[in-house]
């Protein structure tokens, strides 16, 4: 069985490689000898054929036996050889996603400065004002298709991590390579280091400076409290070294002028690149989205990608109750967390309800933040949250008022769905989950979408244990399915924007879209929602398996592309013009998207001085 599976996977890889060779062609390299072996883009390790070793001055620098890609791949699985990393990643995405992406990427960010060995991506800081237009040309790749940009101000549910947040764009772009087949040479992670308001980081930096200064000036005490050399204390005070700009975050116009400058610089060099904004604190997430979405081809993944994935899941929960999709307008949904993600979800859900029931629709959405239920009585409500603040008249019947707590809200509303995007681990406690027993739904849904794992509103085990075995459960970070011990299992869905952002990016790129519209995002969400069969939905399975992420991305990408064409924002990509795109059938569009995906192959290397 295992051998059969392996040989099927191997022939799949070979046919992919044939396809990719046709797309990729030979590759020009401007280096020779050991320089090639030290360059991950070109290094094939023991896979260089003898003729290539001769041409590139590699003869004698490698063990003589040539190991084929297939053999290297097998060695990686068995012997931890890294040579066929991307292929292995793609073939085992379910196992590797939690390592290159959420939740491990959170841990990496928290320890990034200490782990730093060599740079990946570009860094722009407040000190680079006026220089960005020239700095952008320091990036060695001539072509860039996908950029993920962060300012590190809200990294997952971990808060402001300053420059250390660069791990997030890197993780997202690794997913672009694995899930969307974006050529890894054409991705660019960008960190905008405008300081940090994380007092601990600022204090750590200050402490280390003081200790360093102390060491230099006195040279008296040679050991610290645990007998470590004082010099070690200075650099390793918290296991970090200073990598970020040492200042509080820029604010207001000063901040925006920096973001303006980087956006102009990106656009000047790569006018067709797609820019994904990631993990910006709420005020800048909304402000920058409004500011740039009509001028550049960009989107905010936390607001828009998350909304699409959540909406697809919410529509699935309606189907799981055996009700028609139009019943979505009658679902009582309690959203916990009124930040960029929670508000993005509600905004898209509201659009869906309006489409189904017309502009007079009266959705049953309840929104809570750290101060409880948000109502019109609240002294200050963020403009983005204002449409969801409940009028007193609407909640009186429930016995609720401004600031009512989560448990009160769940007990009196008896929601169909309880959805968390608060970043607060465990906020769906036993009492809250037990209250979901009284839900008005025959299949109550619990979405604990905050990341990483410790920040999830509850675990999968807690949800099924306290809220009952008949619930539908989804979480942002992966959890194992839950064994009920009675021969039945509780299915865990991963409601994470990774199901959509690769397709949104790829579809926008291949359409040559000028901008990314709400309708393109809606097409992405509907495509994901329509993926599931009734039988799967009945079993509580709301999303397809991550194992087939490339197929999902191809379908989502095609839906986005077709919508871009329909809305006349597409301008074509490469040799494929708008006319050809508009004549493609649905299936042809999916094929077109698939044929543009990059696969890891060893191209023939041709040296050029
Ligand atoms: N699963 C996904 O695909 C996905 C996507 C985006 C964001 N997220 C996660 O969602 C979380 C929030 O992201 P964000 O960008 O909206 O953050 P944010 O900081 O903009 O918003 C957090 C919100 O939670 C509220 N909150 C804090 N404590 C609370 C409490 N005890 N009870 C109720 N509300 C509380 C805050 O008042 C705020 O409104 C993060 O953990 C992030 O990782 C998940
Ligand atoms: O990064 C993720 O896993 C999802 C999301 O973008 C988040 O910010 O939590
Ligand atoms: Mg994010």
């Amino acid at each position: 069985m295992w051998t059969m599976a392996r040989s099927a996977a191997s022939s799949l890889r070979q046919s992919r490689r044939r396809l990719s060779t046709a797309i990729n062609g030979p590759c020009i390299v401007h280096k020779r000898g050991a320089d090639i072996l030290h360059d991950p883009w070109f290094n094939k390790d023991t896979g260089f054929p003898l003729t290539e070793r001769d041409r590139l001055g590699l003869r004698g620098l490698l063990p003589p036996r040539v190991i084929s890609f297939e053999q290297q791949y097998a060695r990686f699985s068995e012997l931890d050889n890294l040579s066929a990393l991307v292929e292995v990643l793609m073939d085992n995405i379910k196992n590797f996603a939690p390592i290159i992406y959420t939740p491990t990427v959170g841990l990496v960010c928290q320890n990034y400065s200490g782990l730093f060995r060599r740079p990946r991506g570009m860094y722009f800081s407040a000190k680079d004002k006026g220089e960005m237009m020239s700095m952008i040309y320091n990036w060695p790749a001539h072509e860039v298709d996908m950029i993920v940009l962060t300012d590190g101000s809200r990294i997952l549910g971990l808060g402001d991590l300053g420059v250390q947040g660069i791990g997030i764009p890197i993780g997202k772009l690794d997913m672009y390579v694995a899930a969307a087949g974006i050529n890894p040479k054409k991705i660019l992670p960008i960190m905008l280091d405008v300081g940090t308001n994380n007092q601990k980081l600022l204090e750590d930096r200050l402490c280390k400076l003081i200790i360093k200064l102390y060491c230099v000036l006195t040279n008296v005490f040679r050991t610290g409290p645990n007998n470590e050399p004082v010099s070690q204390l200075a650099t390793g005070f918290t296991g970090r070294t200073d990598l970020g700009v040492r200042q509080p975050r820029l604010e207001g116009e000063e901040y925006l002028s920096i973001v303006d400058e980087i956006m102009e610089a990106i656009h000047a060099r790569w006018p067709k690149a797609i820019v994904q904004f990631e993990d910006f604190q709420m005020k800048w997430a909304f402000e920058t989205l409004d500011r740039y979405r009509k001028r550049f081809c960009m989107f905010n993944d936390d607001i828009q990608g998350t909304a699409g994935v959540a909406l697809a899941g919410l529509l699935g929960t309606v189907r799981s109750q055996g009700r028609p999709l139009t019943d979505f307008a009658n679902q009582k949904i309690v959203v916990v967390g009124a930040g960029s993600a929670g508000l993005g979800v509600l905004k898209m859900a509201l659009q869906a309800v309006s489409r189904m029931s017309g502009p007079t629709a009266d959705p049953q959405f309840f929104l809570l933040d750290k101060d409880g239920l948000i109502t019109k009585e609240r002294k200050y409500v963020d403009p983005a949250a204002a449409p969801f603040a409940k009028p007193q008249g609407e909640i009186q019947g429930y016995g609720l008022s401004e600031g009512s707590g989560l448990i009160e809200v769940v007990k009196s509303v008896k929601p169909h769905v309880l959805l968390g995007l608060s970043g607060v681990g465990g906020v769906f406690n036993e009492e809250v989950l037990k209250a979901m027993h009284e839900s008005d739904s025959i299949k109550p849904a619990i979405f604990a979408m905050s990341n990483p794992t410790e920040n999830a509103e509850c675990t999968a085990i807690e949800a099924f244990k306290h809220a009952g075995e008949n619930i539908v459960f989804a979480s942002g970070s992966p959890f194992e399915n839950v064994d009920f011990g009675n021969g039945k299992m509780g299915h865990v869905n991963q409601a994470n924007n990774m199901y959509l952002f690769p397709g949104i990016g790829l579809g926008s790129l291949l359409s040559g879209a000028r901008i990314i519209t709400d309708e393109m995002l809606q097409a992405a969400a509907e495509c994901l929602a329509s993926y599931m069969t009734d039988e799967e939905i009945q079993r509580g399975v709301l999303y397809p398996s991550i194992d087939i992420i490339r197929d999902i991305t191809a379908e989502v990408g095609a839906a986005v592309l077709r919508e871009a064409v329909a809305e006349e924002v597409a301008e074509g990509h490469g040799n494929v013009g708008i006319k050809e795109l508009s004549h493609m059938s649905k299936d042809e569009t999916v094929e077109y998207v698939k044929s543009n995906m990059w696969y890891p192959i060893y191209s023939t290397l041709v040296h050029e001085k």
Side-chain angles (χ1 to χ4, degrees):
M1 187 67 188
W2 168 238
T3 322
M4 272 171 61
R6 266 174 93 126
S7 82
S10 155
S11 67
L12 180 68
R13 275 198 301 280
Q14 272 161 8
S15 65
R16 274 181 200 162
R17 217 157 309 127
R18 272 195 297 279
L19 182 73
S20 311
T21 315
I23 300 171
N24 295 7
C27 181
I28 307 291
V29 55
H30 301 282
K31 314 176 172 186
R32 282 176 64 78
D35 286 345
I36 293 182
L37 298 183
H38 294 144
D39 188 330
W41 297 130
F42 301 117
N43 187 20
K44 301 178 188 177
D45 198 1
T46 49
F48 285 102
L50 286 180
T51 47
E52 220 165 50
R53 293 182 189 203
D54 278 337
R55 277 206 315 273
L56 302 173
L58 294 170
R59 201 111 180 215
L61 299 183
L62 290 160
R65 196 172 139 221
V66 178
I67 309 279
S68 72
F69 184 89
E70 284 296 306
Q71 288 166 316
Q72 287 184 331
Y73 180 94
R75 275 166 58 89
F76 176 88
S77 322
E78 289 155 18
L79 300 173
D80 276 356
N81 181 331
L82 285 174
S83 54
L85 180 62
V86 180
E87 181 89 40
V88 174
L89 170 65
M90 277 167 45
D91 290 352
N92 301 279
I93 186 71
K94 202 169 176 175
N95 296 330
F96 280 100
I99 297 171
I100 61 162
Y101 184 65
T102 306
T104 312
V105 71
L107 197 65
V108 171
C109 288
Q110 285 174 303
N111 296 285
Y112 184 78
S113 296
L115 293 170
F116 182 84
R117 294 290 173 273
R118 58 177 178 186
R120 235 187 114 180
M122 288 194 85
Y123 299 79
F124 294 85
S125 86
K127 298 195 166 47
D128 298 319
K129 199 161 166 36
E131 301 295 330
M132 296 183 197
M133 195 59 91
S134 58
M135 282 169 68
I136 200 88
Y137 285 89
N138 289 344
W139 186 247
H142 293 303
E143 288 176 67
V144 165
D145 286 343
M146 271 307 314
I147 292 173
V148 178
L149 172 73
T150 190
D151 69 355
S153 55
R154 191 287 277 147
I155 294 300
L156 307 176
L158 304 169
D160 180 351
L161 293 186
V163 77
Q164 308 201 111
I166 182 72
I168 291 292
I170 292 173
K172 293 273 172 185
L173 284 162
D174 287 346
M175 285 301 284
Y176 265 108
V177 173
I182 300 286
N183 186 331
K185 284 186 197 156
K186 298 185 186 178
I187 59 174
L188 173 54
I190 296 187
M191 159 53 64
L192 216 48
D193 184 2
V194 291
T196 180
N197 291 344
N198 181 331
Q199 213 44 40
K200 197 162 172 281
L201 285 181
L202 286 172
E203 278 163 16
D204 284 347
R205 288 166 184 174
L206 200 65
C207 277
K208 278 182 278 182
L209 258 184
I210 291 168
I211 294 173
K212 252 184 200 160
L213 206 65
Y214 180 78
C215 290
V216 174
L217 290 181
T218 65
N219 203 15
V220 174
F221 295 111
R222 296 203 166 266
T223 55
N226 299 319
N227 244 6
E228 65 274 50
V230 171
S231 56
Q232 191 178 316
L233 257 187
T235 52
F237 192 67
T238 57
R240 294 187 202 98
T241 43
D242 297 330
L243 294 183
V245 169
R246 281 189 210 103
Q247 65 178 50
R249 282 188 176 277
L250 292 186
E251 288 296 339
E253 281 308 314
E254 238 185 326
Y255 173 87
L256 284 172
S257 70
I258 296 279
V259 195
D260 283 350
E261 193 177 329
I262 183 67
M263 288 301 281
E264 294 292 350
I266 290 170
H267 192 65
R269 184 162 183 203
W270 301 292
K272 299 308 277 182
I274 316 296
V275 184
Q276 173 169 326
F277 276 53
E278 193 67 52
D279 288 9
F280 282 70
Q281 59 179 311
M282 169 162 138
K283 63 176 175 183
W284 294 131
F286 282 109
E287 172 107 26
T288 50
L289 182 60
D290 280 353
R291 194 174 177 94
Y292 302 123
R293 70 175 305 192
K294 296 268 158 61
R295 279 167 59 201
F296 300 108
C297 194
M298 58 80 66
F299 69 106
N300 183 297
D301 182 38
D302 298 293
I303 299 174
Q304 299 168 300
T306 313
V309 169
L311 180 62
L314 292 174
L315 294 174
T317 66
V318 179
R319 287 171 68 194
S320 77
Q321 298 160 28
R323 309 197 70 93
L325 281 184
T326 46
D327 203 52
F328 182 59
N330 303 320
Q331 297 275 304
K332 288 182 283 183
I333 303 176
V334 170
V335 172
V336 184
S340 52
L343 291 174
V345 171
L346 279 181
K347 190 165 172 247
M348 197 169 201
L350 184 61
Q351 287 166 354
V353 170
S354 306
R355 273 196 311 282
M356 288 170 192
S357 317
T360 54
D362 180 23
Q364 300 292 300
F365 301 155
F366 298 79
L367 177 62
L368 287 84
D369 69 359
K370 61 179 177 7
D371 300 318
L373 184 66
I374 300 181
T375 70
K376 302 262 184 235
E377 308 293 301
R378 179 113 15 141
K379 287 221 169 61
Y380 172 77
V381 181
D382 190 278
F388 308 104
K390 284 275 179 212
Q392 194 58 31
E394 266 185 42
I395 50 171
Q396 245 154 12
Y398 289 110
L400 297 172
S401 56
E402 163 55 36
S404 288
L406 177 57
I407 185 66
E408 273 175 273
V409 174
V410 173
K411 278 187 172 163
S412 50
V413 172
K414 306 184 194 317
H416 296 81
V417 181
L418 176 61
L419 188 151
L421 279 162
S422 64
V424 182
V427 74
F428 296 173
N429 58 26
E430 186 173 337
E431 197 185 1
V432 169
L433 291 171
K434 281 186 170 154
M436 282 300 284
H437 271 294
E438 307 304 320
S439 159
D440 279 341
S441 169
I442 53 162
K443 236 175 166 20
I446 294 171
F447 284 60
M449 288 180 70
S450 289
N451 297 315
T453 317
E454 316 80 71
N455 296 64
E457 282 76 9
C458 65
T459 66
I461 292 180
E462 287 163 353
F464 285 107
K465 181 171 168 202
H466 302 308
E469 292 178 8
N470 68 327
I471 61 163
V472 177
F473 179 77
S475 52
S477 298
F479 284 102
E480 293 290 329
N481 288 341
V482 177
D483 189 343
F484 297 148
N486 54 7
K488 293 191 185 149
M489 299 288 282
H491 180 80
V492 173
N493 295 282
Q494 194 178 352
N496 188 295
N497 51 31
M498 71 179 166
Y499 275 108
L500 284 190
F501 72 76
I504 296 171
L506 183 61
S508 304
L509 178 77
L510 295 179
S511 64
R514 280 194 310 280
I515 54 169
I516 299 176
T517 64
D518 278 347
E519 287 72 15
M520 287 159 73
L521 298 161
Q522 184 191 315
E526 281 170 5
C527 173
L528 181 62
S530 65
Y531 232 88
M532 309 311 294
T533 64
D534 284 339
E535 186 273 328
E536 287 166 320
I537 291 281
Q538 282 315 312
R539 285 191 287 114
V541 184
L542 303 178
Y543 302 105
S545 166
I546 197 73
D547 284 327
I548 55 162
I549 190 74
R550 278 225 168 174
D551 290 322
I552 302 165
T553 300
E555 297 281 345
V556 171
V560 169
L561 188 159
R562 288 172 67 76
E563 188 57 38
V565 171
E567 285 191 274
E568 300 182 355
V569 296
E571 294 178 338
H573 175 77
N575 298 330
V576 183
I578 179 66
K579 214 166 172 184
E580 282 149 293
L581 288 179
S582 53
H583 285 130
M584 284 179 192
S585 68
K586 200 171 162 206
D587 289 348
E588 283 166 347
T589 317
V590 175
E591 277 317 304
Y592 168 67
V593 173
K594 280 190 177 166
S595 69
N596 272 281
M597 288 180 167
W598 174 90
Y599 282 94
I601 53 147
Y602 286 163
S603 305
T604 304
L605 297 187
V606 179
H607 178 252
E608 196 181 87
K609 281 210 175 116

